[in-house]
Amino acid sequence: MSALLAPAAASVGLQVLLQPYGQAHVGHAACTAVGLVYPAYCSLKAVEARPHNSRETKKWLVYWSVYGLLTAAERPLDKLLQWVPYYHAVKLLLLIWLQSPTYEGAARLYVEGLRPWLARVQPQLDDFLAALLRSLRRPELQMLSEGLHQFASQTPFLEWFVRGPDGRPVQRRRAFITDADGAEGAASSSADDGGWRRR
């Protein structure tokens, strides 16, 4: 009987040693706090800083860009990565390195990897996005968008979602995300906060 139980016990013991019980939950919580909660707080501080600190804002924009791409790459491998020993500990160290004021890992990944890649593929990406936005301007989608806006603006709970950043009701424009004038308006209003910053 012990000849049968010994290999199973050794296997279970090795598994516990390499993947301690509860480590995944603790590691996931730590990665969430370090990778999302703290950077979100720092980003909000950078947005609200007076006088505006463009270096700090750029640092967090670069961090979110790198973090988003790493997360997009990680998602398809989630089931596999949960079996990698101490994966969350390594990820936690990576997140700290990305944000570190000493090493500024996110800026380094951006300068040495993301920026050269973006310079090569940006024209193709811009063309793809422009074609996608043109396809969303089809009349049937415009009608659907208008109907959703009308429904949301007349439903008490949903009405909050169709208000502008200043909290006032938004007059319906041509389209949701496909409004070319809206994109230009957003770009031109960013310099003066577009009236949405609380005073």
Side-chain angles (χ1 to χ4, degrees), residues 103-124:
Y103 302 109
E104 294 192 12
R108 184 168 175 196
L109 285 179
Y110 174 75
V111 169
E112 294 181 14
L114 189 55
R115 186 166 46 187
W117 172 80
L118 187 60
R120 285 193 312 271
V121 300
Q122 187 172 0
Q124 294 90 346

Side-chain angles (χ1 to χ4, degrees), residues 152-171:
S153 64
Q154 295 171 6
T155 306
F157 172 73
L158 297 176
E159 184 264 341
W160 183 85
F161 291 100
V162 292
R163 289 180 173 268
D166 60 0
R168 287 181 270 180
V170 173
Q171 292 300 319

Side-chain angles (χ1 to χ4, degrees), residues 10-199:
S11 175
V12 169
L14 184 61
Q15 198 171 22
V16 168
L17 179 65
L18 293 178
Q19 192 79 351
Y21 179 75
Q23 179 214 15
H25 298 298
V26 172
H28 184 70
C31 288
T32 299
V34 171
L36 290 173
V37 177
Y38 176 73
Y41 174 70
C42 291
S43 299
L44 291 171
K45 278 179 43 178
V47 167
E48 294 297 327
R50 288 288 179 254
H52 181 71
N53 184 344
S54 60
R55 176 168 162 60
E56 194 70 10
T57 304
K58 182 178 180 180
K59 171 189 172 179
W60 291 110
L61 278 172
V62 167
Y63 170 80
W64 287 115
S65 300
V66 170
Y67 179 84
L69 288 173
L70 290 176
T71 302
E74 176 190 39
R75 284 291 177 238
L77 304 173
D78 250 354
K79 297 294 182 195
L80 179 66
L81 291 174
Q82 70 183 353
W83 291 100
V84 174
Y86 301 104
Y87 167 71
H88 284 101
V90 172
K91 181 178 176 181
L92 186 63
L93 291 174
L94 174 68
L95 292 170
I96 292 169
W97 178 75
L98 288 175
Q99 303 169 28
S100 166
T102 304
Y103 302 109
E104 294 192 12
R108 184 168 175 196
L109 285 179
Y110 174 75
V111 169
E112 294 181 14
L114 189 55
R115 186 166 46 187
W117 172 80
L118 187 60
R120 285 193 312 271
V121 300
Q122 187 172 0
Q124 294 90 346
L125 284 175
D126 287 344
D127 291 344
F128 171 76
L129 291 173
L132 179 63
L133 290 176
R134 278 193 303 275
S135 71
L136 291 175
R137 290 193 183 108
R138 296 190 331 230
E140 58 273 16
L141 292 177
Q142 294 291 337
M143 287 175 30
L144 176 64
S145 174
E146 178 66 33
L148 286 172
H149 181 82
Q150 290 300 326
F151 174 76
S153 64
Q154 295 171 6
T155 306
F157 172 73
L158 297 176
E159 184 264 341
W160 183 85
F161 291 100
V162 292
R163 289 180 173 268
D166 60 0
R168 287 181 270 180
V170 173
Q171 292 300 319
R172 181 74 177 109
R173 294 186 298 215
R174 287 187 295 144
F176 264 101
I177 60 169
T178 61
D179 185 2
D181 297 332
E184 292 163 9
S188 66
S189 67
S190 64
D192 66 354
D193 296 334
W196 60 269
R197 183 185 298 271
R198 296 197 185 276
R199 291 174 169 64

